[in-house]
Amino acid sequence: MHDLKAIRDDAAAFGAAMRRRGLAGPEGADEGAAAPIRALDEERRRAQTELQGHETRRNELARAIGQAKRAGEDTTALEAEGTALRQSIETANAWLAESARKLDELLAVLPNVLDADVPDGPDETANVEQKRVGAPPSFDFEARQHFELGEALGLMDFAGAAKLAGARFTVLRGDLARLERALGQFMLDLHVNEHGYTEVSPPLLVNDTTMYGTGQLPKFAEDLFRTTDGRWLIPTAEVPLTNLAAGDILDAASLPLRMTALTPSFRSEAGSAGRDTRGMLRQHQFWKVELVSLTTPEASADEHERMTSCAESVLERLGLPYRRMLLCAGDTGFSSAKTYDLEVWLPGQGTYREISSCSNCRAFQARRMNARYRPPQTGPKPAKPDFVHTLNGSGVATGRALIAVMENYQNADGSITVPDALRPYMRGCDRIG
C-alpha cells in the first residue's frame, strides 16, 4: 500500500500528499494523516528494541542457569527472572502483532500518493481538458437519447429487466444485442491484433485477498456485490488480471505484461441514488473491455500514455467525438496516482460523458499484492527484487460505447447506422431499425 520507510523519513511530505486528497489527519498535527502512523510506528520500534533486549537477557539467563546447576549453585532467583522474562516476551509479541494489525488498518484506507502533475481541486469541476478529437454531429432533427431510440425500436427493454432483477438493469434484443456483442469483439480484436495485448478469460468471482490487492477492500465494500459463500463479483476485470502477478517475482525481460479481457462487471452503485436513473448509463451489470499493464517504474509513465492512446483508438475507429481529461486530485480514484478520463459526446444529452478511465497506480497495488520483478543483474550479485508498476484502463466500456454509437449514428426516422468498423461483426448489417 504505502512505503512505511518513506513515511518515516518524511512524514510531513506524506501528510501533504494526503491533504491533496482531502485527508487532513488529526487536528493540529503538522504531519497530517502521517501523524498516527508515525506515532504507532515509533512505538512499535521501541517495543521491538525492548523485546530484543528481553530475548538477549533470556539467552544469557539460560546460560547462567546451566552454569549454576553444573556448579551445584542455587538457581531459584535466576529461574524466577527467566519466568518473568518469558511472560514479558509473550506480552510484547502479542502487542507487536496487534500493533502491526492496527498499522495495516491505518495504511489500508489511505489512497495512493498523486503524481506531481495532477492538478489540485475538490471534484470533477477542476479536471483539465487536454484535447478534443472529432466534431459533434449536426442533425436536422432533435437528437434523441439512447433509451428513447432503443425503446422505440422495441430492442431495449427496461420494464422486462426490472421484472427480472430490479432497477439499473437492461434487456437488449435483436440487433441491439448483436451490436453490443460486436462492439466487444471489435475492441478485443483491436487490442490483441494491433496493440499487443494478450486476451485473458478470468474468473468473475474472487476472494477477499484479490479484492484487497487492487484496493477495493476494505474501503469500498459497500460498492461491491458479495456471494453467500464469501466471494465477490468483480467490479472490473482489472481485479483478477492485475492479481495474476500477486506474490510473484517477474523477470524484467517479461515486462511489460499487457492483458485484456471482455467480462461483465458488477457494481452496487451505492453512492449514485438519483443519478442517471433513465437508460443504461449507470448499471449494476455491464460489459467492459479492460486493459491491464505491469511494467517497470521507469516505463510506467510512457505505458500510461500508450494505454490511453489504445483506448482512444477505439473511439477514433468508431468515429465517435471525444475529449481527454486529466483528473484533479479530488476526482482521482483511490488506487491511482494519475488518471486520464476519455469522455465521449452524447448528442441526446448534449454533453460529454465518461467512457474510459486509464490509470497509473505505480507501486501502490503491487505493494498490497507483493507483486515484484527482478531488475537485470549489473554486479556480481543478482539485483534485489523491486515492486512492479500496475496500470489499468477501460478499452472501453461496451455499454457506454453502445449508447454513444446509437446517439451519434441516429437517423431522423429513428434508425441507427452501423459504423463501418462494426459491419464485419454484424454480418454486413449497415442499419438497425
Side-chain angles (χ1 to χ4, degrees), residues 6 129 145 278 340:
E129 182 178 319
Q145 297 195 55
R278 292 292 309 274
Y340 294 122

Side-chain angles (χ1 to χ4, degrees), residues 8-62:
R8 187 183 300 144
D9 292 344
D10 196 344
F14 185 79
M18 292 300 103
R19 275 192 286 272
R20 292 192 70 199
R21 292 282 204 164
L23 302 174
E27 186 175 352
D30 293 337
E31 297 168 348
I37 296 169
R38 197 176 72 136
L40 183 55
D41 179 51
E42 288 178 350
E43 191 174 356
R44 276 176 46 79
R45 295 175 76 192
R46 285 193 297 269
Q48 286 169 337
T49 300
E50 185 176 329
L51 176 60
Q52 289 168 358
H54 288 334
E55 290 172 337
T56 298
R57 178 56 182 159
R58 179 189 60 188
N59 295 336
E60 291 172 351
L61 279 173

Side-chain angles (χ1 to χ4, degrees), residues 175 178-187 189 317-318 405 408-411 415-432:
D175 282 342
R178 178 186 287 182
L179 184 62
E180 183 183 48
R181 176 161 53 92
L183 281 161
Q185 297 304 312
F186 158 70
M187 294 175 205
D189 286 349
R317 296 288 182 93
L318 293 174
V405 167
N408 281 277
Y409 284 89
Q410 62 180 291
N411 302 302
S415 64
I416 299 160
T417 300
V418 176
D420 290 343
L422 299 180
R423 291 181 186 180
Y425 300 90
M426 295 286 290
R427 296 185 178 179
C429 173
D430 59 5
R431 183 177 291 241
I432 294 173

Side-chain angles (χ1 to χ4, degrees), residues 26 43 55 171 197 225 236 257 308 395 414-415:
E43 191 174 356
E55 290 172 337
V171 170
Y197 287 84
F225 287 111
T236 164
L257 286 179
T308 306
S415 64

Side-chain angles (χ1 to χ4, degrees), residues 241-259 292-296 366 369-377 383-390:
L241 294 185
T242 309
N243 273 278
L244 284 173
D248 292 344
I249 299 178
L250 306 172
D251 189 340
S254 70
L255 302 178
L257 286 179
R258 298 180 178 128
M259 297 170 281
V292 165
S293 294
L294 308 178
T295 190
T296 63
M369 299 184 302
N370 195 28
R372 296 174 292 169
Y373 78 104
R374 192 180 299 278
Q377 185 170 340
K384 183 180 178 181
D386 194 8
F387 292 105
V388 297
H389 278 198
T390 65

